[in-house]
Amino acid sequence: MAWITPTLQECKDRIPKEWPSLSSAAKTQGQDAEALAQKVIDTQVTRVRGRVPVDVKRGEDGTIPNELESAFFALWVYEFITKLPSMRSLLDDLRVKAWEKAFDELDRLSAGKIQVVPPVTAAPLDQQATGGYIEVAKPARPNQFSIENTSGLL
């Protein structure tokens, strides 16, 4: 299945009744609501992509696995509203629980408990995640310490 690119319009469509109030609150704080919303989109896309296990190829830049669409939007709504302190009353129990569930889903994804389908079009190799590498070092000389030559201090 294809990975998806979350858009500003899709995000606004998730909160159609609240968008005018949020936009007004942003303007009152000297911010552009759409620019702020896009910044939150970019941050949440990075968050979701960062939790995809290393053994799964990443999609093109700006895309996320479509299996995580609901988690993405729950994260976006919560984070966008928290950027506007005067609007925090919009964070009802349902939204907070959706945000917590989204984080739980990302935790399970990073632990390999949730599988995602690789993208149809993968990102270039230099944009793929790589695993950490461990170099095993051997001691230069054998261990010289033993109970016999340390007077039993070991």
Side-chain angles (χ1 to χ4, degrees):
M1 236 181 218
W3 281 28
I4 59 170
T5 304
T7 66
L8 177 60
Q9 188 58 51
E10 290 171 328
C11 290
K12 288 166 66 174
D13 289 347
R14 293 290 172 139
I15 51 171
K17 292 178 183 173
E18 297 92 339
W19 181 257
S21 299
L22 291 164
S23 183
S24 177
K27 188 176 281 189
T28 301
Q29 294 178 10
Q31 299 184 53
D32 175 35
E34 290 192 356
L36 179 61
Q38 185 61 54
K39 184 177 179 181
V40 175
I41 290 170
D42 296 342
T43 301
Q44 299 314 313
V45 165
T46 300
R47 174 174 279 147
V48 171
R49 288 173 64 88
R51 296 293 184 94
V52 175
V54 175
D55 60 336
V56 176
K57 292 239 184 249
R58 302 290 192 274
E60 295 174 320
D61 197 30
T63 62
I64 61 170
N66 65 329
E67 296 94 337
L68 299 171
E69 182 178 24
S70 294
F72 168 82
F73 285 116
L75 294 169
W76 180 84
V77 167
Y78 182 91
E79 296 295 331
F80 181 65
I81 291 173
T82 59
K83 298 285 184 197
L84 302 166
S86 63
M87 301 305 290
R88 289 200 178 172
S89 62
L90 294 175
L91 292 175
D92 58 11
D93 287 342
L94 186 61
R95 286 189 171 138
V96 171
K97 286 182 183 183
W99 178 74
E100 290 169 348
K101 182 181 174 194
F103 265 106
D104 180 57
E105 192 171 352
L106 292 182
D107 286 344
R108 288 183 291 131
L109 172 68
S110 65
K113 295 178 181 174
I114 296 176
Q115 300 297 314
V116 294
V117 176
V120 172
T121 306
L125 190 57
D126 64 338
Q127 293 179 10
Q128 295 297 331
T130 58
Y133 297 99
I134 299 173
E135 183 177 334
V136 179
K138 294 182 184 179
R141 52 194 155 109
N143 190 352
Q144 299 175 6
F145 303 107
S146 67
I147 293 176
E148 292 79 28
N149 65 9
T150 57
S151 301
L153 294 175
L154 291 178

